[in-house]
């Protein structure tokens, strides 16, 4: 049984580890901050991977090596060793807290400061079960929204309850696709109208809950053009699995054309 | 404190009386901690069967969305969420909290410390029957109009606060909250009983530092339960009030749900998350600590070696218990909570890895130079260590907020908590079942069936949960009923199919366990009083133990619980009640 256990534990360990590295599981990353997040992942992955393999290999070895041979010899009589306890306490503390110390600046860089001045503003609104994106237009101001004006069945500005009586709302544009110019910092405002949703863009390594009652400010910068999927990552009801959207990153010029066309549509 | 209950001490009044003879008092409304322990165990066994069937239906629906499943029919997306919510709730509360602590703890804590019963037998009966009513109310949620809730076991408002937000958020949600509130009350009553019993009813010589590590784990778990369940109870009552009395603790103003304006204002959905996770994270340790206790007990017993670093094990459990109350915010890195607080929560969470690692090292140290007997309970204890390592090591990824950004609410999280608080804890329950079954029923469980059950469950659990890490890295969100709408998920469906096949096989393997369990109760080989040659007090008394546990004798304890392979001793174990001196250590 000892040998069988050793083989089972080792096989599980090596197969699990193999499939972690045999395939690139992560989606292609396109945001400015993704390399830092991915780097911290890799560092943690190597550290934890070494510990995982070492611990499982040791476990398999120990159960096989110290199996009962049925002889008269007794097991070793030991209640422990304080030096060893101290050693592995200090080593694991250094490992875990060290990783934390290395990773913390990445989080700080992501979330401790607001978007650069001059970043383009987009409001992201989640409602059961769609994402809406609002652009402030040339005045760079979002118009007022009023819950009593909301009508999701009409889509567009009406879905968000944008109050057309507000002058700032005149040039607001609402889209079901998140159009963004490449290489430009985006100042996101996240809102939710009904329940909590979570704005998840795997390619951007970005996720943030949109919470009813809160206006959450975030920022990111896409660095490659293309279409990237947006998913909802917080359970929001029966249509959660199909609440998704597209983030379309285009050249600055294409973006300007798109926005101008949408503004023209409004007139 | 160390010898509170001597022969002349004040024992619970009921203990001095004779065992009740009527069926109702003996088996239904029993005051005997052993009967109550078995009642809890069977409640958990019923719950785990239901929870497992729900998970199987979910797994089948995920990969064959249109398939018609026996008893369930074709599952709709909202029904999937209902199954998922009830699976999580039933497993966390009625299995992982109930079996290891209330089940085994009730049965064996008094015996292992040499007490005739729990400190408050009537309260003990009351906590079981409150748990039973709680379970009945939870199951009733399936059968009311709208069905059971779909808001997940974490039950975040506003989805859970507004009846229009989804099917099942009507009466089903109210029943869910009432059930959980009852469960909290029952758990707090149980926790008080465990704490008092441990502190006051230990036999002569049973100092705290001579208690088996199982008793330490039940004791610390009880303290966690007492502190944590009160907070969930408060949260549950507030949410019930928001839903039914028009208060606005969790619902802000200006919401529109399904086209209808919501008449609330001023609440915060994040408040619930803080209250829930202030309970929810210690709850993880409530589920796993008793498993750690059982694993320690068994690894020492079947390696025929004293536990490596007894004191370090006790201190590590205390550290886990204390730190466990300071890490709840790591569930909320993406919630909109202040990003600065993530620093503190992340630091504390990484710190909790240290006592967890200490335990793992000590388990390996216990087996090192041992003389390992591969009994079925030992196999599950070894499996526990392997799963604890695998599930534990994904923690430091999620504990770092920067890495949590892409991984939060993906299958990576599902893999992490299932391996550690699900499967590892269940392995603790299996280990305890195979180990104590002979004491509870006077018969041995079948060894060959037990080994087949172990191998299938161990390999099966890894086949189910290891690939979920890969899904999480690829960005597969949790709680999706299908993977057909979001395009980048479609290539991952073959992995989901593999997981579903593995789940079908692994769940089937549990039939072997159920058969073995019930067959052995009647037909198993008759067990000796101490079949495992273990040292703790439950093995000094008759099998099954008499009504007052020790047949009118109060045991006297002379040394710690793990005196195996003492040099010069006649046998390779010295019972705790054996006055033979052991070397100082």
């Amino acid at each position: 049984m000892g040998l069988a256990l050793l083989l089972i534990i080792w096989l599980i360990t090596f197969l699990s580890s193999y499939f972690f590295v045999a395939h690139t599981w992560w989606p292609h990353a396109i945001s400015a901050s993704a390399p830092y997040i991915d780097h911290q992942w890799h560092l943690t992955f190597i550290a934890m991977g070494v510990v995982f393999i070492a611990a499982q290999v040791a476990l398999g070895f120990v159960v096989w090596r110290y199996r009962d041979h049925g002889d008269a010899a007794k097991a070793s009589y030991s209640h422990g060793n304080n030096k060893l306890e101290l050693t592995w306490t200090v080593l694991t503390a250094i490992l875990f807290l060290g990783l934390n110390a290395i990773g913390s600046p990445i989080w700080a860089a992501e979330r401790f400061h607001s978007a650069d001045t001059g970043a383009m503003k987009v409001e992201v609104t989640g409602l059961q079960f769609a994402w809406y994106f609002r652009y402030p237009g040339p005045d760079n101001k979002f118009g007022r929204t009023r819950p009593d004006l909301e009508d999701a069945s009409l889509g567009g500005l009406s879905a968000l309850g944008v109050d057309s009586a507000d002058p700032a709302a005149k040039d607001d544009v609402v889209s079901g696709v998140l159009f963004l110019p490449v290489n430009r910092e985006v100042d996101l405002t996240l809102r939710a109208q009904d329940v909590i949703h979570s704005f998840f863009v795997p390619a951007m390594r970005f996720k943030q809950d949109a919470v009813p009652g809160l206006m959450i400010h975030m920022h990111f910068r896409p660095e490659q053009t293309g279409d990237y999927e947006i998913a909802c990552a917080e359970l929001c009801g029966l249509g959660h699995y199909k609440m998704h959207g597209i983030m379309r990153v285009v050249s600055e010029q294409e973006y300007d054309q798109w926005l101008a066309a949408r503004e023209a549509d409004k007139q | 404190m160390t010898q509170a209950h001597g022969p002349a001490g004040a024992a619970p009044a009921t203990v001095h009386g004779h065992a009740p003879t009527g069926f109702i008092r003996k088996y239904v409304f029993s005051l005997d901690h052993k009967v109550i322990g078995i009642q809890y165990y069977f409640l958990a066994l019923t719950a785990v069967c239901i929870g497992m069937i729900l998970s199987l239906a979910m797994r089948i629906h995920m990969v064959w969305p249109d398939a018609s499943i026996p008893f369930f029919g074709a599952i709709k997306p909202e029904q999937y969420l209902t199954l998922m919510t009830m699976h999580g709730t039933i497993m966390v509360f009625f299995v992982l909290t109930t079996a290891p602590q209330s089940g085994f703890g009730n049965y064996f804590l008094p015996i292992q410390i040499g007490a005739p019963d729990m400190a408050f037998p009537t309260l003990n009966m009351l906590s079981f029957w409150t748990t039973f009513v709680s379970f009945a109310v939870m199951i009733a949620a399936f059968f009311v109009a709208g069905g059971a809730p779909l808001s997940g076991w974490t039950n975040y408002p506003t989805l859970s606060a507004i009846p229009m937000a989804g099917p099942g958020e009507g009466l089903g949600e109210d029943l869910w909250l009432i059930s959980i509130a009852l469960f909290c009350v029952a758990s707090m009553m149980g926790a008080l009983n465990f704490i008092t019993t441990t502190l006051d009813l230990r036999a002569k010589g049973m100092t705290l530092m001579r208690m088996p590590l199982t008793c330490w784990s039940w004791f610390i778990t009880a303290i966690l339960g007492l502190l944590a369940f009160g907070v969930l109870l408060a949260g549950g009552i507030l949410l019930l009030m928001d839903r039914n009395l028009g208060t606005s603790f969790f619902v802000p103003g200006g919401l529109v749900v399904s086209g209808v304006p919501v008449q609330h204002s001023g609440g915060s959905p994040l408040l619930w998350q803080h209250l829930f996770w202030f309970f929810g994270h210690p709850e993880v340790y409530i589920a796993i600590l008793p498993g750690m206790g059982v694993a320690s007990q068994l690894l020492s017993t079947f390696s025929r070696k004293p536990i490596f670093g007894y004191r370090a094990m006790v201190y590590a459990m205390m550290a886990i218990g204390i730190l466990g109350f300071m890490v709840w915010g790591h569930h909320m890195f993406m919630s909109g909570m202040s990003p600065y607080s993530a620093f503190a929560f992340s630091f504390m969470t990484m710190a909790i890895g240290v006592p967890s690692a200490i335990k793992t090292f000590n388990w390996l140290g216990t087996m090192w130079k041992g003389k390992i007997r591969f009994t079925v309970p030992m196999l599950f204890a070894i499996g526990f260590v392997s799963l604890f390592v695998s599930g534990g090591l994904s923690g430091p990824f999620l504990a770092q907020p920067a890495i949590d950004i892409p991984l939060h609410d993906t299958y990576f999280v599902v893999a992490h908590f299932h391996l550690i608080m699900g499967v590892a804890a269940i392995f603790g329950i299996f280990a305890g079942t195979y180990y104590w079954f002979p004491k509870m029923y006077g018969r041995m469980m079948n060894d060959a069936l037990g080994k087949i059950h172990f191998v299938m469950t161990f390999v099966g659990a890894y086949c189910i949960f290891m690939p979920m890490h890969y899904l999480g890295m690829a960005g597969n969100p949790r709680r999706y009923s299908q993977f057909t709408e979001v395009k980048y998920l479609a290539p991952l469906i073959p992995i989901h199919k593999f997981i579903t096949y593995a789940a079908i096989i692994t769940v089937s393997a549990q039939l072997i366990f159920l058969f073995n369990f019930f067959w052995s109760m009647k037909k198993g080989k008759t067990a000796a009083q101490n079949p495992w040659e273990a040292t703790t007090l439950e093995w000094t008394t008759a099998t099954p133990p008499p009504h007052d546990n020790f047949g009118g004798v109060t045991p006297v304890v002379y040394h710690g619980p793990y005196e195996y392979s003492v040099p010069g001793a006649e046998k390779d174990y010295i019972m705790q009640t054996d006055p033979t001196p052991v070397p100082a250590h």
Side-chain angles (χ1 to χ4, degrees):
Chain A
M1 197 68 206
L3 188 63
L5 256 186
L6 175 141
L7 291 175
I8 291 170
I9 293 172
W10 284 14
L11 201 63
I12 288 170
T13 305
F14 292 125
L15 283 178
S16 305
S17 309
Y18 172 76
F19 285 114
F20 263 105
V21 294
H23 179 84
T24 307
W25 296 102
W26 288 100
H28 176 63
I30 61 147
S31 73
S33 54
Y36 303 100
I37 293 172
D38 287 1
H39 179 263
Q40 183 65 11
W41 156 272
H42 281 295
L43 191 66
T44 309
F45 178 74
I46 291 166
M48 294 303 117
V50 168
V51 175
F52 170 70
I53 293 172
Q56 301 285 5
V57 165
L59 178 66
F61 172 77
V62 168
V63 297
W64 166 77
R65 171 70 180 78
Y66 297 110
R67 66 199 183 280
D68 185 0
H69 294 276
D71 52 2
K74 276 188 185 172
S76 137
Y77 181 74
S78 158
H79 281 273
N81 180 323
N82 286 338
K83 265 189 198 155
L84 276 176
E85 299 284 354
L86 191 67
T87 310
W88 56 55
T89 303
V90 171
L91 287 179
T92 48
I94 292 172
L95 175 68
F96 289 143
L97 299 180
L99 270 177
N100 193 56
I102 298 169
S104 292
I106 301 168
W107 172 254
E110 275 290 290
R111 304 276 165 124
F112 281 12
H113 65 92
S114 46
D116 298 343
T117 44
M120 60 167 284
K121 289 183 188 171
V122 181
E123 180 196 71
V124 178
T125 304
L127 60 142
Q128 289 177 328
F129 299 95
W131 293 108
Y132 285 90
F133 308 100
R134 181 154 67 125
Y135 299 78
D139 67 354
N140 208 27
K141 275 189 197 149
F142 290 114
R144 186 170 60 227
T145 58
R146 277 172 46 191
D148 55 309
L149 297 175
E150 280 172 26
D151 188 346
S153 62
L154 297 176
L157 292 162
S158 303
L160 302 182
V162 176
D163 183 0
S164 55
D166 180 5
K170 297 279 185 236
D171 58 351
D172 284 9
V173 164
V174 171
S175 167
V177 173
L178 177 58
F179 266 84
L180 296 175
V182 70
N183 284 327
R184 180 134 168 236
E185 175 111 321
V186 184
D187 179 359
L188 299 157
T189 306
L190 288 110
R191 295 200 314 140
Q193 279 182 190
D194 39 32
V195 301
I196 303 176
H197 303 276
S198 190
F199 182 70
F200 179 28
V201 194
M204 297 292 286
R205 303 290 186 268
F206 184 86
K207 185 181 291 132
Q208 174 58 48
D209 287 3
V211 183
L214 293 183
M215 307 272 268
I216 298 171
H217 285 271
M218 289 283 148
H219 54 94
F220 61 31
R221 183 200 301 261
E223 292 188 321
Q224 285 175 41
T225 56
D227 279 5
Y228 306 96
E229 270 185 299
I230 299 162
C232 178
E234 185 61 78
L235 175 58
C236 59
L238 63 93
H240 175 47
Y241 72 102
K242 56 183 179 189
M243 181 167 168
H244 69 121
I246 294 291
M247 181 179 90
R248 183 162 295 160
V249 183
V250 294
S251 69
E252 188 85 38
Q253 190 189 10
E254 278 174 275
Y255 172 76
D256 290 341
Q257 282 168 0
W258 171 80
L259 194 62
R262 295 302 301 263
E263 293 287 353
D265 286 348
K266 287 193 58 148
Q267 305 310 318
Chain B
M1 291 292 273
T2 53
Q3 48 181 57
H5 177 62
T14 49
V15 168
H16 290 308
H18 294 288
T21 46
F23 180 81
I24 299 275
R25 294 298 293 182
K26 197 171 176 186
Y27 295 112
V28 184
F29 295 108
S30 173
L31 300 177
D32 184 339
H33 69 100
K34 298 184 287 297
V35 177
I36 295 170
I38 289 177
Q39 287 174 323
Y40 268 118
Y41 188 90
F42 275 91
L43 178 71
L45 196 62
T46 311
V48 81
C49 291
I50 296 171
M52 220 163 45
I53 291 168
L54 298 183
S55 65
L56 208 52
M58 284 155 62
R59 283 299 335 163
I60 292 170
H61 169 77
M62 267 186 258
V63 296
W64 299 292
D66 303 320
S68 180
I69 304 169
F71 303 115
F72 294 94
I75 294 174
K76 289 187 284 200
E78 57 268 37
Q79 286 172 318
Y80 165 84
L81 293 177
T82 289
L83 301 179
M84 178 208 77
T85 301
M86 295 300 269
H87 164 79
T89 308
I90 289 172
M91 289 301 201
V92 170
F93 292 96
F94 297 99
V95 179
L96 299 176
T97 311
T98 299
Q101 178 76 1
S102 308
F104 288 129
N106 244 310
Y107 198 114
F108 288 103
L109 172 72
I111 308 187
Q112 286 196 331
I113 61 172
D117 201 323
M118 290 293 251
F120 310 117
T122 311
L123 188 69
N124 203 13
M125 177 181 76
L126 194 61
S127 32
F128 169 73
W129 284 104
T130 308
T131 310
F132 182 85
V133 172
S134 159
F135 186 60
V137 172
M138 184 60 72
I139 297 300
F142 276 116
F143 302 103
V144 297
L150 51 58
S151 41
W153 88 280
T154 56
N155 206 41
Y156 282 5
T158 51
L159 182 58
S160 61
I162 302 166
M164 287 163 306
E169 292 308 317
L171 185 54
E173 173 67 38
D174 284 322
L175 289 178
W176 189 95
L177 285 165
I178 292 166
S179 165
I180 292 303
L182 287 170
F183 190 91
C184 292
V185 173
S187 298
M188 284 192 285
M189 291 192 287
L192 269 177
N193 220 343
F194 273 66
I195 294 168
T196 315
T197 305
T198 310
L199 291 178
D200 283 353
L201 294 189
R202 277 171 288 123
K204 189 179 176 190
M206 180 62 84
T207 60
L208 284 173
M209 282 298 174
R210 281 180 182 170
M211 289 202 304
L213 288 170
T214 41
C215 297
W216 269 110
S217 73
W218 292 319
F219 178 51
I220 294 170
T221 301
I223 297 171
L224 297 188
L226 191 66
L227 298 173
F229 277 107
V231 178
L232 180 63
L233 177 61
I237 291 171
L238 296 184
L239 188 48
L240 270 172
M241 288 170 68
D242 268 13
R243 294 174 51 80
N244 296 297
L245 300 178
T247 58
S248 294
F249 295 104
F250 305 120
V251 188
L255 301 191
V256 179
V257 175
S258 306
V260 182
V262 176
Q263 301 303 323
H264 286 271
S265 68
S268 162
L270 290 193
L271 173 61
W272 168 268
Q273 296 186 26
H274 283 293
L275 294 174
F276 182 85
W277 289 115
F278 188 88
F279 147 80
H281 203 81
E283 165 61 28
V284 174
Y285 298 106
I286 289 172
I288 195 73
L289 277 170
M292 293 178 174
V294 169
S296 305
Q297 178 90 359
L298 270 52
L299 290 171
S300 170
T301 301
F302 295 112
S303 300
R304 315 309 293 166
K305 254 194 81 195
I307 193 82
F308 194 95
Y310 175 92
R311 277 174 186 274
M313 290 301 238
V314 173
Y315 298 147
M317 278 196 280
M318 288 178 180
I320 288 172
I322 293 167
L323 289 172
F325 275 102
M326 304 181 193
V327 299
W328 80 90
H330 69 219
H331 298 271
M332 297 172 61
F333 289 148
M334 303 305 133
S335 69
M337 170 182 85
S338 159
Y340 299 101
S341 63
F343 255 31
F345 285 121
S346 166
F347 180 84
M348 298 312 267
T349 308
M350 293 299 265
I352 214 169
V354 176
S356 310
I358 291 172
K359 296 200 74 77
T360 307
F361 281 120
N362 281 330
W363 287 323
L364 290 172
T366 301
M367 288 186 279
W368 186 265
K369 295 194 177 174
K371 204 168 155 62
I372 299 172
R373 297 177 180 174
F374 295 109
T375 61
V376 177
M378 179 61 167
L379 292 177
F380 277 97
I382 294 168
F384 175 93
V385 176
S386 171
L387 291 158
F388 183 76
V389 168
S390 303
L393 286 173
S394 49
F397 294 90
L398 300 167
Q400 299 181 62
I403 309 180
D404 191 48
I405 296 172
L407 294 178
H408 181 79
D409 262 329
T410 67
Y411 267 82
F412 196 89
V413 180
V414 181
H416 166 68
F417 73 74
H418 272 96
L419 279 176
I420 196 149
M421 83 171 282
V423 191
I426 293 270
F427 267 52
I429 299 172
F430 279 137
T433 304
Y434 284 102
Y435 181 66
W436 281 312
F437 187 92
K439 185 51 66 179
M440 294 162 80
Y441 297 106
R443 294 177 184 276
M444 307 297 286
M445 286 181 76
N446 183 280
D447 191 62
L449 288 179
K451 283 180 173 151
I452 296 169
H453 173 229
F454 165 75
V455 172
M456 289 184 74
T457 309
F458 186 63
V459 176
Y462 271 112
C463 288
I464 295 168
F465 295 110
M466 206 35 103
M468 289 189 186
H469 295 98
Y470 318 140
L471 294 172
M473 291 157 70
N476 194 332
R478 304 164 67 176
R479 295 163 163 169
Y480 273 29
S481 69
Q482 296 168 34
F483 309 105
T484 45
E485 301 292 319
V486 177
K487 288 174 191 60
Y488 73 84
L489 298 179
L492 303 172
I493 290 176
I495 300 174
H496 279 288
K497 286 198 171 149
F498 174 81
I499 293 172
T500 298
Y501 288 126
I504 292 170
I505 295 168
T506 312
V507 168
S508 308
Q510 306 317 308
L511 297 174
I512 302 171
F513 169 77
L514 287 176
F515 171 79
N516 194 357
F517 188 90
F518 289 106
W519 181 83
S520 301
M521 265 163 91
K522 298 278 173 222
K523 306 271 180 165
K525 207 169 64 180
T526 308
Q529 182 170 307
N530 185 4
W532 310 119
E533 301 184 305
T535 58
T536 45
L537 295 186
E538 74 270 35
W539 307 108
T540 64
T541 187
T543 294
H547 180 61
D548 69 349
N549 292 345
F550 298 97
V553 189
T554 305
V556 178
V557 170
Y558 293 93
H559 30 72
Y562 304 115
E563 292 300 339
Y564 291 101
S565 302
V566 178
E570 183 193 344
K571 288 182 288 194
D572 75 345
Y573 63 105
I574 297 179
M575 305 295 289
Q576 283 194 279
T577 50
D578 183 343
T580 308
V582 300
H585 55 82

